[in-house]
Amino acid sequence: MGQKRIRDYGVIPGRMKSGKRNRITDVDGVQVGHCTVKNEENHTGVTVILPGVDNAFARKYVAASYVHNGFGKSCGLIQIDELGTLETPIALTNTLNVGVVWDALAEYVIRQCERDQVPVKSLNPVVGECNDSQINHIEKRGVRAEHVWEAIEHAREDFDEGDVGAGAGTICYGLKGGIGSASRVVELYGKEYTIGVLVQSNFGATKDFVLDGIPVGERILQHKERMDREAAGRSGRGDGTCERNGKDERGRNSEADESGSGGMGVSQRDQGSIMTILATDLPVSDRQLRRILRRTAVGIARTGAYTGHGSGEVMIGFSTANRILLKAGEEPQAQSVIHETLINRAFQGAAEAAHEAILNSMVCAGRTVGIDGQVYYGLEELLPYIMG
């Protein structure tokens, strides 16, 4: 896609081998699509993860979810936990558009089943969210059903990361967050399997940010202090503060622009949430998958977060192995799962992929102006100041 990712800057999280694309789509059949909604009122969007190219309702996927901290408004997790299956694509969006996206996913699957002559009397669309209200006028509810369908239509193996789709308006450690992905290869029984992760990052206090084992959060805050002093000097103030004008008709600071004249934004608290989607082709049970899924929290913690009160850490995972047939009368295929003593390799892969996915979400995102006029910088732009 032409984007520079965290490895292009010499930062390689973990020790395991990554997949060919180093994305969730290294799991065969998985595709990702975005629709980004940017206009006078909205800076948001939708990201859709397709678990495969066929009808998920007719041949369901083994699935699991894990809520590390429940400050969130996701849909579909209860049935995933009860039945251990996924029967629709997974969609990510902002908090106040979950209902619209749920409805659009339902319509998409119903149409798909009508085409395939598969009866639908009940359906469990899965939707995750992050609150992007610091950048997006979330109360305007700018996502529509057609945006969901457009994201599905444009789903592919190679996809953009950063401030696109559901990541258009998110913030991570006070910098611009977004969509990020990574993968790891797990060798079992003489065969290679893949664990892929995609995140929608919107969490973390700036001071806590850790990059490549270095606590760089304090360096970011020091850089902000220098920028504020310079801005104060240009405005004629000597008290270390930057004088700001009123807000424009969109609620944005009238002096804020892409050059950063509205001031550098940071996050004082660990809040805002992160959605983590894990895909694998490992033959696992839903119980084993949930165990693997929980280890993505280790990857989140490696970036410095401690899971604050106002941050929803929600994980959803599925396996493309051992598909489950729709009709009870159909003869099931022979199924097997990995031996429990070998699961540590999957644990490590999940942790490493989640860690790298978060960093990719930040380094692929560009600076963006928030509603209050603060400018949220992309990680790439700050690397010379924090890694020197």
Side-chain angles (χ1 to χ4, degrees), residues 3 32 34 46-47 92 159-168 170 176-181 198-201 357-358 360-362 364-365:
Q3 292 180 302
V32 173
H34 305 296
V46 180
T47 295
L92 305 176
F159 58 92
D160 286 332
E161 296 168 275
D163 47 342
V164 294
T170 60
K176 186 65 189 72
I179 300 296
S181 191
L198 180 143
V199 300
Q200 177 190 16
S201 65
I358 293 167
N360 281 333
S361 76
M362 298 173 70
C364 291

Side-chain angles (χ1 to χ4, degrees), residues 40 137 247-252:
E40 288 299 302
H137 283 282
K247 295 186 177 181
D248 63 16
E249 67 279 3
R250 294 164 56 192
R252 297 184 189 275

Side-chain angles (χ1 to χ4, degrees), residues 57-60 87 113 117-119 324-330:
F57 188 82
R59 297 181 66 233
K60 305 179 194 304
E87 60 188 27
C113 288
Q117 297 183 328
V118 175
I324 300 166
L325 302 174
L326 174 65
K327 297 180 181 179
E330 293 183 273

Side-chain angles (χ1 to χ4, degrees), residues 77-293:
L77 304 188
I78 293 175
Q79 184 167 312
I80 286 179
D81 286 345
E82 184 68 22
L83 303 183
T85 60
L86 174 71
E87 60 188 27
T88 74
I90 300 170
L92 305 176
T93 189
N94 71 62
T95 306
L96 296 188
N97 273 118
V98 169
V100 171
V101 173
W102 186 99
D103 192 63
L105 266 186
E107 181 66 22
Y108 168 78
V109 175
I110 289 170
R111 291 178 184 176
Q112 189 180 38
C113 288
E114 287 176 347
R115 182 198 67 199
D116 297 340
Q117 297 183 328
V118 175
V120 180
K121 301 300 181 183
S122 179
L123 187 60
N124 187 49
V126 178
V127 185
E129 54 78 30
C130 286
N131 192 308
D132 58 11
S133 59
Q134 289 180 264
I135 291 176
N136 172 51
H137 283 282
I138 194 170
E139 73 282 0
K140 302 298 183 181
R141 303 180 68 199
V143 175
R144 301 286 181 263
E146 54 265 30
H147 298 138
V148 180
W149 300 331
E150 183 177 334
I152 293 172
E153 181 182 353
H154 290 98
R156 56 186 185 269
E157 294 175 344
D158 288 318
F159 58 92
D160 286 332
E161 296 168 275
D163 47 342
V164 294
T170 60
I171 296 166
C172 193
Y173 289 107
L175 308 182
K176 186 65 189 72
I179 300 296
S181 191
S183 69
R184 291 296 184 270
V185 174
V186 178
E187 296 186 11
L188 294 175
Y189 310 110
K191 181 180 177 181
E192 290 189 342
Y193 296 92
T194 303
I195 291 176
V197 169
L198 180 143
V199 300
Q200 177 190 16
S201 65
N202 192 50
F203 71 102
T206 304
K207 65 181 178 181
D208 297 325
F209 183 37
V210 174
L211 176 61
D212 205 20
I214 303 170
V216 299
E218 292 293 341
R219 298 181 185 180
I220 294 173
L221 294 175
Q222 292 168 5
H223 181 62
K224 172 181 167 54
E225 289 178 2
R226 289 194 297 269
M227 293 182 66
D228 285 348
R229 287 196 298 268
E230 293 173 0
R234 290 193 298 269
S235 66
R237 294 176 63 95
D239 58 0
T241 62
C242 181
E243 185 174 1
R244 298 189 178 94
N245 293 335
K247 295 186 177 181
D248 63 16
E249 67 279 3
R250 294 164 56 192
R252 297 184 189 275
N253 186 288
S254 58
E255 284 192 339
D257 57 31
E258 293 304 306
S259 67
S261 59
M264 177 181 174
V266 295
S267 293
Q268 299 297 334
R269 293 179 294 170
D270 187 349
Q271 62 182 8
S273 303
I274 175 171
M275 290 297 310
T276 303
I277 311 301
L278 182 146
T280 186
D281 54 4
L282 278 167
V284 289
S285 67
D286 60 292
R287 179 190 60 79
Q288 289 176 319
L289 183 58
R290 190 170 190 268
R291 295 190 71 201
I292 295 168
L293 192 58

